[in-house]
Amino acid sequence: MAAGLNPLRVWVLLLILVAGVPAEASSDSRWSTRVWQIDDGLLDNDINGITQGPDNYLWLVTPVGLMQFDGGAFTQFPTEDIAGHVGLHIRLALCSRSGALWLAFDGGTIVKLNPDYSVAPLDMNSLPTRSPFALACDHDGAAWMAYPEAIYRARNGQVTKFTAADGVPPGNFHSLNSDGIGNIWLAKGNRISWFQDGAFHPVATVEKFQCMAALRTNAVWLAAGGHLLSCDANGTLRDIAAIPIPSNVRVAALLEDRNGSVWIGTEGDGLFHYNASRFERVDTSHSAILSLAQDREGNLWVGTGGGGLDRITPCGIRVEAIENNQVQSQIQSICEDADGVLWAATQNGALVSQMGGKWAPVFTNAPFSKSVTCVAADKSAVWVGTGIGELLKITAGAYTIWRTNVARGTVRGLLPATNGDLWIIGNDALQRLYQGRIKNFTLPRPFQRVSAIAEDASGNIWIGANGILFRFDGTNLINETGQVPIANRPICCLYGTDDGSLWISSRGGGLMRIKDGHGYRIGVEQGLGSTYISQIVADGRGWLWFASSHGIFKLRQREIELAMQDHSLILRPIIYGKNEGLVSQEAVFSIASPFILPHAILGADGRIWMLTHTGVVV
């Protein structure tokens, strides 16, 4: 999906094969719920169905119309153009494995919409003149439709009817599903059947049936009699656990996510997540759950009966603070050493390190213990700058005062280069530690305070100040300001990506990029989350993450590059705010107190660390 779609954390499902074992439900804050309702553009707050098309849009079935959703905006789809009638309502929507969208309308009209939005012909004379109860698609891309008296299959425009003579059991219809490998399952009466060799074959008998969902293999999940069960094609029925809901509450929706966990939506008791014999209640905007779906990026989408559309994701973002969230101890600089140990400088001058998942002060009795300003790490050491002009080097758990009287008194930033150099930024100083010796660089007087520094993929060092951009080519500082529209704004952030791009942000100037000698820019008019960006980091999976004055957001790097070339394109950033557990919105900036150059980092374990005024955000 273009935006708003964030990836799910991996959770492993352990099946506890003990009949009738009850599992307790708990409310777990590790899930984050984002809600969209009528005020956000929905036609109706009842979402009867959700499916994702090949273009990554979500298709939403509401009582008053069909909508497309790209993660940021809703668009009503003109169903009358394809149904041939005005006033018909969509009852069901389903995307097949081939990318075709099947739509079931009032009055029995069923339409197959190809990925190019052309309508494929279907022999409607062979179908009942009413809407089916359920739709499913098999491994061949054929659509299956369930009616009380028969099951129908539509393949290549031809419709085939299956009745009792073909194994369709008697009794009330309950559910029709396609499993993870495309086999068709039917729940009717008290029979669970699956389709093979031209007929339905009963494999199990289940009383008090309520709901069925596919497993990734040739099997299904069942909700029946207040229990969660599984059933495979051999008829092996396993009672997994008792669902912790009142006996009068019905399970209305079931879904196995890509990691094997089960989601259970009820008619009035909310949403539950089952993983490794444990149920947990997950907050939703309404207690009635009508539909569930998972998109290709792993986000869970919940259609509610009155609360609108919910997106459920793990709370993949959190704020870490030192000493019980005391403001004076918040982290303002962070790095990770070659052994994966995190080091940080706090706003009250302490040097801290993360040990066993907890932050703790280190070298508390050292002379510099209350004057640390910033940290950085290279392959062999951790470098520490102080407010008293000392440069420290930490190796093997011990520190050495490497230099004194550096940076003209206060070290505001450090950058270890890949060639072994160490760049040191002070209040009005720029220094290079090269082969054990320090060289001072003199910038033009109006631009002496450096506000950003970074290395690109070619080893060039880029230096930003107020309205000016320099590149160090190994010998000289070269003025590159003319490549991007910096004007008289201070540069807040520089960041180099592996493709050779240099990314630049200036105060209120949007996001800029230099690549192969060409400059590009985008701003909020193209959907950029903020024009005040202080930190940028790539996650190695195609996303760029941004810390700004208005919170943290991410964008696909490729989408940014396309928008920079085509200004008619609109970006839709994924924004992390209070709904995702981010209490603090404002990032640490080099051009504001405490005037330390902040650098976001990508840890060896794939986590991103960004700096805000009330804590480091993970």
Side-chain angles (χ1 to χ4, degrees):
M1 179 160 289
L5 309 177
N6 297 335
L8 281 175
R9 183 181 306 163
V10 175
W11 300 100
V12 181
L13 176 64
L14 301 176
L15 293 181
I16 307 300
L17 306 181
V18 180
V21 174
E24 304 224 347
S26 64
S27 180
D28 200 320
S29 61
R30 64 193 173 108
W31 299 104
S32 172
T33 304
R34 171 74 187 275
V35 180
W36 288 265
Q37 297 181 332
I38 289 175
D39 291 344
D40 302 301
L42 271 174
L43 287 174
D44 194 280
N45 282 338
D46 287 358
I47 309 297
N48 296 319
I50 308 170
T51 190
Q52 187 177 27
D55 55 4
N56 289 332
Y57 284 94
L58 288 184
W59 293 82
L60 308 175
V61 179
T62 77
V64 293
L66 181 68
M67 304 203 77
Q68 285 181 310
F69 182 50
D70 65 0
F74 296 92
T75 303
Q76 184 173 4
F77 191 80
T79 54
E80 61 273 9
D81 294 344
I82 58 174
H85 301 280
V86 177
L88 288 181
H89 290 163
I90 294 279
R91 293 301 179 190
L92 302 168
L94 181 68
C95 186
S96 72
R97 293 168 182 259
S98 64
L101 188 71
W102 289 87
L103 303 172
F105 291 79
D106 285 337
T109 299
I110 296 177
V111 172
K112 179 185 178 184
L113 196 63
N114 292 318
D116 62 358
Y117 294 102
S118 63
V119 177
L122 184 65
D123 182 12
M124 294 303 303
N125 293 325
S126 301
L127 291 170
T129 57
R130 56 179 167 175
S131 180
F133 286 176
L135 289 175
C137 285
D138 64 21
H139 47 76
D140 294 326
W144 292 74
M145 292 143 279
Y147 297 86
E149 67 282 358
I151 309 298
Y152 294 80
R153 181 185 65 198
R155 176 186 291 165
N156 300 324
Q158 300 299 312
V159 176
T160 303
K161 182 179 180 180
F162 298 92
T163 64
D166 306 296
V168 176
N172 294 330
F173 169 80
H174 298 299
S175 189
L176 182 73
N177 293 85
S178 173
D179 65 25
I181 56 178
N183 295 308
I184 296 297
W185 290 75
L186 173 65
K188 197 169 184 290
N190 63 356
R191 300 283 182 86
I192 307 298
S193 309
W194 73 293
F195 188 82
Q196 186 182 36
D197 299 329
F200 285 92
H201 301 274
V203 295
T205 300
V206 176
E207 302 296 337
K208 299 181 180 179
F209 177 90
Q210 292 184 333
C211 201
M212 181 168 67
L215 267 80
R216 291 165 295 170
T217 57
N218 188 14
V220 288
W221 291 102
L222 307 171
H227 284 245
L228 177 66
L229 307 97
S230 68
C231 180
D232 62 23
N234 295 320
T236 303
L237 195 65
R238 295 184 174 94
D239 189 341
I240 304 302
I243 305 171
I245 57 176
S247 59
N248 62 335
V249 173
R250 180 178 179 271
V251 174
L254 273 180
L255 175 74
E256 181 189 75
D257 65 29
R258 62 173 61 175
N259 302 312
S261 296
V262 184
W263 295 85
I264 303 166
T266 71
E267 290 184 349
D269 204 38
L271 178 68
F272 294 84
H273 173 254
Y274 178 81
N275 183 36
S277 79
R278 178 174 177 262
F279 284 93
E280 51 188 324
R281 187 187 299 275
V282 179
D283 288 341
T284 54
S285 59
H286 199 280
S287 61
I289 310 300
L290 303 181
S291 52
L292 296 170
Q294 188 177 37
D295 65 34
R296 295 184 183 93
E297 293 189 0
N299 301 288
L300 182 77
W301 297 88
V302 182
T304 72
L309 176 68
D310 294 0
R311 185 193 69 203
I312 309 293
T313 55
C315 286
I317 190 166
R318 71 174 188 272
V319 178
E320 289 202 0
I322 313 303
E323 297 180 5
N324 299 321
N325 295 319
Q326 293 179 20
V327 173
Q328 66 269 23
S329 298
Q330 296 309 312
I331 290 172
Q332 64 186 20
S333 179
I334 191 171
C335 70
E336 184 180 49
D337 67 20
D339 296 322
V341 177
L342 291 166
W343 299 79
T346 70
Q347 291 181 15
N348 65 350
L351 177 66
V352 298
S353 181
Q354 192 187 71
M355 302 174 185
K358 295 182 179 181
W359 291 96
V362 293
F363 303 123
T364 54
N365 296 323
F368 59 83
S369 63
K370 295 183 180 180
S371 63
V372 172
T373 54
C374 57
V375 294
D378 59 23
K379 294 180 180 179
S380 61
V382 174
W383 296 92
V384 179
T386 73
I388 55 177
E390 290 181 337
L391 176 65
L392 313 171
K393 183 178 183 180
I394 299 176
T395 56
Y399 74 89
T400 303
I401 299 178
W402 193 252
R403 285 290 187 276
T404 58
N405 300 320
V406 299
R408 297 175 187 169
T410 299
V411 181
R412 298 176 50 245
L414 296 168
L415 176 70
T418 55
N419 65 357
D421 293 353
L422 179 70
W423 290 80
I424 307 164
I425 297 92
N427 286 330
D428 296 305
L430 174 64
Q431 298 173 324
R432 175 192 180 204
L433 180 60
Y434 170 67
Q435 294 183 349
R437 302 180 62 184
I438 287 182
K439 178 179 179 180
N440 291 289
F441 290 85
T442 302
L443 302 183
R445 183 163 293 278
F447 314 111
Q448 285 182 334
R449 172 163 285 190
V450 173
S451 52
I453 188 168
E455 183 178 12
D456 67 19
S458 299
N460 295 295
I461 302 299
W462 295 80
I463 297 138
N466 187 19
I468 197 165
L469 176 67
F470 293 100
R471 176 175 60 87
F472 181 71
D473 64 357
T475 305
N476 301 306
L477 289 177
I478 302 169
N479 191 335
E480 300 281 11
T481 310
Q483 294 199 50
V484 283
I486 296 171
N488 293 319
R489 299 183 177 94
I491 293 175
C492 300
C493 181
L494 297 170
Y495 183 74
T497 47
D498 291 342
D499 65 339
S501 296
L502 178 75
W503 299 85
I504 308 157
S505 70
S506 63
R507 185 175 62 192
L511 178 64
M512 292 161 278
R513 170 179 175 247
I514 294 176
K515 174 74 179 297
D516 299 329
H518 299 283
Y520 308 87
R521 179 196 173 275
I522 56 170
V524 292
E525 66 277 4
Q526 286 178 262
L528 187 67
S530 173
T531 58
Y532 288 79
I533 295 169
S534 75
Q535 298 153 57
I536 305 172
V537 64
D539 65 7
R541 292 173 291 186
W543 295 89
L544 288 181
W545 292 71
F546 303 88
S548 75
S549 60
H550 292 87
I552 290 172
F553 62 95
K554 71 175 182 178
L555 285 160
R556 289 274 187 193
Q557 180 176 333
R558 180 56 180 159
E559 292 178 5
I560 301 172
E561 293 168 353
L562 292 174
M564 285 179 164
Q565 295 174 358
D566 182 356
H567 285 189
S568 67
L569 297 178
I570 302 298
L571 298 168
R572 298 195 183 279
I574 297 177
I575 299 171
Y576 292 82
K578 293 181 179 179
N579 283 338
E580 290 74 30
L582 182 59
V583 177
S584 170
Q585 299 283 329
E586 186 177 4
V588 172
F589 274 76
S590 63
I591 60 172
S593 180
F595 299 102
I596 302 302
L597 275 62
H599 289 280
I601 63 170
L602 173 66
D605 60 2
R607 289 185 295 174
I608 286 172
W609 301 77
M610 309 188 94
L611 304 166
T612 72
H613 277 293
T614 56
V616 59
V617 173
V618 188

